[in-house]
Amino acid sequence: MSKAIRVFTLSMVLLCWFSVVAAASAFRVGDQGTDVAEIQRQLHSLGYDVMADGDFGPATTEAVKAFQVSRGLEADGLVGASTYTALLGKSMPVVKHSMNAMSRSVISESMNYIGVPYVFGGTTPSGFDCSGYVRYVFAKAGIYLPRTADAQYECGYAVTTSELAPGDLVFFSTYEPGASHVGIYLGDGNFINASSSRGVSIASLYSSYWGSCYIGARRVM
């Protein structure tokens, strides 16, 4: 694939992601800033074990879920309008999400190899298998992952489908039970992977095939 086409494809992926971000309506894992710190301070004042560091991580998610259960709200770990008002007693501000520099680096690097053929056991741009590709791309960003998909599935922490953000790892059970295939989430329901049929390419998480064998996602940065 030519450089111009790769650049165009990346631009369209990022445009889709920013469109989703603009319409986002809840604070969630990965968000940072003063609004998140205010949420954390209120949770802490209510006795939940969370620090007001302005970084919405797993501990904040668990605290939010516990608060939601106590108020009879859906325990999804997201601070939407209902949860925000119940927690802070005021209307929720506009939510702004953004990819961090590391995520942008991973997404940009991943697009450089579209069209590279699939090679079982492949770990270089001459040919990749799924986990070899993911490991190579993340190493370029300074993040070193294990070699196989099942080992990569043990890294970082789990995120739900509603929490998916660009740069998350998405896992599938394909030729054997458990995490036997991995890709990199791009946003807007799309991910990039090295598949045995198409090599490095973009696919939809919600297609009939991939949707049927999807088993979960992990955040490693």
Side-chain angles (χ1 to χ4, degrees):
M1 179 176 287
S2 71
K3 181 177 180 181
I5 294 176
R6 285 200 301 269
V7 171
F8 174 76
T9 304
L10 176 59
S11 298
M12 293 305 295
V13 168
L14 294 180
L15 178 60
C16 289
W17 165 244
F18 286 125
S19 295
V20 171
V21 164
S25 57
F27 294 101
R28 65 192 67 208
V29 168
D31 287 344
Q32 298 177 326
T34 56
D35 288 324
V36 172
E38 184 179 16
I39 289 168
Q40 292 169 322
R41 280 194 295 271
Q42 183 62 13
L43 287 167
H44 182 76
S45 73
L46 294 173
Y48 295 100
D49 185 17
V50 61
M51 294 178 57
D53 59 4
D55 188 355
F56 201 128
T60 302
T61 298
E62 292 307 310
V64 169
K65 287 180 179 178
F67 172 78
Q68 289 169 325
V69 169
S70 74
R71 297 302 178 94
L73 300 168
E74 181 184 359
D76 57 7
L78 307 178
V79 182
S82 298
T83 299
Y84 188 91
T85 299
L87 180 63
L88 292 167
K90 60 183 180 180
S91 297
M92 189 169 129
V94 175
V95 182
K96 296 180 180 179
H97 306 294
S98 62
M99 283 193 290
N100 61 36
M102 188 69 74
S103 297
R104 287 194 297 271
S105 175
V106 166
I107 297 304
S108 178
E109 183 66 24
S110 74
M111 302 298 290
N112 289 332
Y113 308 103
I114 289 179
V116 169
Y118 179 89
V119 174
F120 183 76
T123 60
T124 74
S126 296
F128 289 115
D129 65 13
C130 66
S131 55
Y133 168 66
V134 167
R135 187 173 188 267
Y136 186 91
V137 167
F138 274 77
K140 286 286 189 177
I143 299 172
Y144 298 94
L145 300 173
R147 172 64 185 88
T148 61
D150 59 342
Q152 291 172 3
Y153 193 49
E154 301 300 318
C155 296
Y157 58 89
V159 291
T160 66
T161 303
S162 64
E163 296 169 335
L164 277 171
D168 288 343
L169 301 183
V170 288
F171 292 88
F172 308 85
S173 179
T174 53
Y175 63 90
E176 63 180 22
S180 53
H181 188 78
V182 60
I184 303 169
Y185 189 67
L186 298 175
D188 198 32
N190 296 310
F191 69 99
I192 189 167
N193 71 131
S195 72
S196 58
S197 60
R198 299 178 58 201
V200 178
S201 55
I202 295 172
S204 172
L205 192 64
Y206 307 115
S207 68
S208 57
Y209 176 73
W210 292 114
S212 67
C213 55
Y214 176 70
I215 60 171
R218 309 287 294 186
R219 183 162 296 157
V220 297
M221 58 181 171

